[in-house]
Amino acid sequence: MTTRGGVMGNVKSGEALDPGLACPIAPVVDIVFSRWTTPILWTLHEYGRQRFVELQRRIASITPKVLTQRLRQLERDGLVVRTYHPEVPPRVEYEISELGRSLAPLFATLAEWSAVNLEKVERSRRAYDDGET
């Protein structure tokens, strides 16, 4: 069995399919669209290099623990660069990497889609919640 683009290959009906084969963008979605990743990348892209405290102020609802965890993961994924300045007191800055910047067209496309379609989604939700569907 082959689908458009040959993604599924020879998978028999009812056979379990590896999620990466079922949806080849799933790993990207896991990396880029986790709860706090998008606001962190957006903020670093919009405002440039920042210290931890600056990031935390701009993303007001994030806890320091979660911000630390997400920044470490983003650094590990190559989307954020951490620069340590050995001075007294030590200074650490974060900035979006070239790899992270390469996501800008994706974010721009999503922002355009949002501007055109979010109200439609809200109307659909209201209709559904009101039992109109």
Side-chain angles (χ1 to χ4, degrees):
M1 173 189 311
T2 302
T3 62
R4 269 186 272 157
V7 173
M8 287 180 63
N10 291 325
V11 177
K12 295 177 185 168
S13 179
E15 193 174 325
L17 184 62
D18 178 279
L21 295 176
C23 180
I25 66 165
V28 175
V29 170
D30 287 345
I31 293 167
V32 177
F33 297 109
S34 66
R35 171 131 166 88
W36 293 107
T37 297
T38 307
I40 292 168
L41 291 176
W42 185 274
T43 301
L44 290 173
H45 180 74
E46 287 294 308
Y47 298 100
R49 182 182 310 184
Q50 296 175 65
R51 296 178 74 171
F52 185 92
V53 170
E54 293 170 306
L55 264 173
Q56 190 179 7
R57 276 190 213 123
R58 288 199 164 103
I59 309 170
S61 56
I62 194 168
T63 66
K65 178 183 177 183
V66 171
L67 181 56
T68 298
Q69 290 170 341
R70 294 310 310 150
L71 285 169
R72 285 182 182 153
Q73 186 62 51
L74 290 168
E75 182 182 9
R76 180 176 181 255
D77 291 340
L79 300 175
V80 166
V81 175
R82 178 184 184 270
T83 304
Y84 174 80
H85 300 279
E87 47 194 49
V88 179
R91 182 169 47 103
V92 177
E93 294 176 315
Y94 298 91
E95 62 186 307
I96 194 166
S97 69
E98 277 301 313
L99 182 60
R101 272 192 283 284
S102 72
L103 292 166
L106 172 64
F107 287 145
T109 300
L110 288 171
E112 289 172 23
W113 185 92
S114 176
V116 171
N117 294 297
L118 265 189
E119 180 53 37
K120 294 173 189 173
V121 171
E122 288 301 319
R123 279 196 307 270
S124 179
R125 287 177 178 172
R126 284 192 299 273
Y128 183 91
D129 292 345
D130 293 342
E132 297 174 15
T133 57

